[in-house]
Amino acid sequence: MTEESVRLNAQKYCWLRYTQYSLYEVYAKKFGIGYKNLFVLRTLYAAPDGCTQMEICQNSLISKQTVSAVIKGYLSQGYVSMEEVCSDRRNKLVKLTQKGLEYAENIIPPIIKAEQDSMALFDDAQQELFLEMCTIYSQNLKKMFR
């Protein structure tokens, strides 16, 4: 493969990735929120027993400061509650309230379904290859950024 074809392929992949994030951003705007709020909400929706802000950061790959700001907003709207973690009082467990769960029910299940339906368009081998290649690409990129 030539240097030029590698450059073009890297450019195409970046454009595809940006397109995917743009799709989430457009979807989030339908509900008057940003895509980072959407990713935090999705993480909380997937954790009915709650999770810490650090877990939200790790799952959503969003900065601690941004997660904290999103949580504060959701707290003021009554969408989440926070309680101390017995084993570490510095950490708080963030959970969706009933109001938050009802709010998330209108937003998150359609995303999950769309993602699953999109993945289902691949056969089993294609799914495995896609995930493997994306994982390797991410690992390689991480090495390059060091």
Side-chain angles (χ1 to χ4, degrees):
M1 195 165 270
T2 68
E3 191 175 319
E4 178 64 10
S5 63
V6 169
R7 185 187 70 75
L8 289 172
N9 285 338
Q11 186 177 4
K12 286 177 188 177
Y13 179 74
C14 287
W15 181 83
L16 290 169
R17 192 178 61 239
Y18 296 152
T19 299
Q20 289 173 347
Y21 275 96
S22 178
L23 292 170
Y24 285 100
E25 191 169 2
V26 168
Y27 182 82
K29 283 183 181 181
K30 288 181 185 179
F31 298 95
I33 60 175
Y35 75 93
K36 291 182 181 182
N37 294 62
L38 179 71
F39 290 170
V40 170
L41 187 63
R42 186 199 172 124
T43 300
L44 291 169
Y45 185 82
D49 295 329
C51 53
T52 65
Q53 288 189 31
M54 186 57 66
E55 291 170 329
I56 295 169
C57 292
Q58 291 167 346
N59 289 331
S60 64
L61 302 175
I62 298 172
S63 74
K64 192 174 173 181
Q65 297 83 358
T66 301
V67 168
S68 180
V70 170
I71 295 298
K72 282 181 184 177
Y74 284 155
L75 194 58
S76 72
Q77 293 173 297
Y79 293 156
V80 299
S81 65
M82 296 177 79
E83 54 191 63
E84 285 184 1
V85 175
C86 297
S87 60
D88 184 357
R89 293 182 185 253
R90 293 174 296 158
N91 279 320
K92 296 202 182 331
L93 194 66
V94 183
K95 288 172 98 169
L96 286 175
T97 61
Q98 185 59 39
K99 181 179 178 182
L101 186 59
E102 291 168 7
Y103 173 70
E105 281 290 336
N106 293 321
I107 301 170
I108 303 304
I111 291 173
I112 293 170
K113 181 168 178 11
E115 291 167 343
Q116 290 173 353
D117 289 351
S118 293
M119 187 62 71
L121 294 173
F122 295 142
D123 65 31
D124 290 350
Q126 289 172 322
Q127 287 182 34
E128 287 181 32
L129 181 60
F130 174 74
L131 295 172
E132 180 183 349
M133 298 308 295
C134 286
T135 300
I136 292 169
Y137 179 85
S138 294
Q139 291 168 346
N140 289 342
L141 193 58
K142 186 177 181 179
K143 289 176 191 173
M144 299 297 161
F145 283 166
R146 287 185 185 160

